[in-house]
């Protein structure tokens, strides 16, 4: 990797989860600049402004940022808001390695629930050049950290071979 700081965008609407992810990344002791987006629309705005080196993306996101003091709900909740972000990237030819970090192990949809293994399979088929991993985040267990470290190391290795 180059001498410049790694640019990372974390797209996550839950502050405790984004804080834990940020603390984990900073613990890797790699120079990085981290930006945050808390909704589908703010993620798209960030991607239009500057393409990061790495995107960490939640699956379930509100349409717009939730504004608690103003009692704004964030628009309609989207169980697959992360897919909307990925599709925008694909159709806009935005090439940014992405690791999906989701708090859900199953996603309701017409025709029956989609488990995380099936989701990974479908996302890898639709976004083979973007997706660099998908993992389940559970704050009770440390498993997500080792999975994120593996996905991050894979990302770093791919970046160094460019």
């Amino acid at each position: 990797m180059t001498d410049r700081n790694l640019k990372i965008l974390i797209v996550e609407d839950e502050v405790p989860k984004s804080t834990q992810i940020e603390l984990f990344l900073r613990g890797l002791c790699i120079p990085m600049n981290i930006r945050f987006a808390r909704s589908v629309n703010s993620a798209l705005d960030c991607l239009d402004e500057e393409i990061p080196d790495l995107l960490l993306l939640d699956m379930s996101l509100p349409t717009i940022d939730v504004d608690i003091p103003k009692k704004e709900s964030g628009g309609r909740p989207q169980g697959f808001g992360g897919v909307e972000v990925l599709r925008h990237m694909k159709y806009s030819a935005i090439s940014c390695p992405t690791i999906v970090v989701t708090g859900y192990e199953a996603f309701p949809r017409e025709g029956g629930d989609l488990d995380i293994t099936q989701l990974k399979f479908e996302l890898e088929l639709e976004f083979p050049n973007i997706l660099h991993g998908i993992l389940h985040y559970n704050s009770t267990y440390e498993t997500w950290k080792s999975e994120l470290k593996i996905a991050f190391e894979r990302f770093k290795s791919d970046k160094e071979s460019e």
Side-chain angles (χ1 to χ4, degrees):
M1 293 210 296
T2 64
D3 292 332
R4 71 173 179 78
N5 288 358
L6 194 60
K7 294 181 288 186
I8 298 176
L9 175 60
I10 298 174
V11 181
E12 172 57 58
D13 59 318
E14 296 178 19
V15 174
K17 182 178 166 189
S18 63
T19 300
Q20 287 301 309
I21 293 169
E22 177 187 15
L23 290 171
F24 172 78
L25 291 172
R26 296 218 184 270
L28 297 175
C29 299
I30 295 170
M32 61 182 73
N33 294 328
I34 299 177
R35 293 179 65 195
F36 298 91
R38 307 221 181 276
S39 67
V40 171
N41 286 355
S42 63
L44 300 181
D45 289 344
C46 286
L47 289 167
D48 288 341
E49 288 170 21
E50 178 182 40
I51 299 170
D53 297 310
L54 177 64
L55 172 64
L56 296 176
L57 179 64
D58 188 21
M59 247 322 94
S60 180
L61 295 164
T63 305
I64 59 174
D65 289 1
V66 174
D67 191 337
I68 294 180
K70 293 182 181 177
K71 298 182 180 163
E72 292 176 356
S73 68
R76 69 181 166 85
Q78 298 185 53
F80 292 98
V83 174
E84 190 172 324
V85 173
L86 288 166
R87 286 187 178 138
H88 170 80
M89 291 168 56
K90 181 178 179 179
Y91 298 124
S92 300
I94 295 173
S95 180
C96 175
T98 301
I99 300 170
V100 172
V101 182
T102 180
Y104 296 100
E105 292 183 274
F107 301 84
R109 73 172 180 187
E110 260 184 58
D113 288 356
L114 179 71
D115 72 22
I116 196 165
T117 304
Q118 293 168 306
L119 178 66
K120 180 179 181 186
F121 176 75
E122 289 184 13
L123 293 179
E124 286 174 342
L125 276 177
E126 190 171 351
F127 310 104
N129 300 324
I130 299 172
L131 194 68
H132 274 63
I134 180 167
L135 59 105
H136 176 242
Y137 172 90
N138 183 332
S139 61
T140 308
Y141 303 103
E142 300 285 312
T143 310
W144 69 271
K145 292 180 180 180
S146 57
E147 292 176 10
L148 182 54
K149 184 169 183 161
I150 290 166
F152 186 80
E153 292 298 327
R154 191 176 320 121
F155 153 75
K156 247 179 37 180
S157 175
D158 290 350
K159 190 152 182 71
E160 287 170 351
S161 65
E162 288 179 350

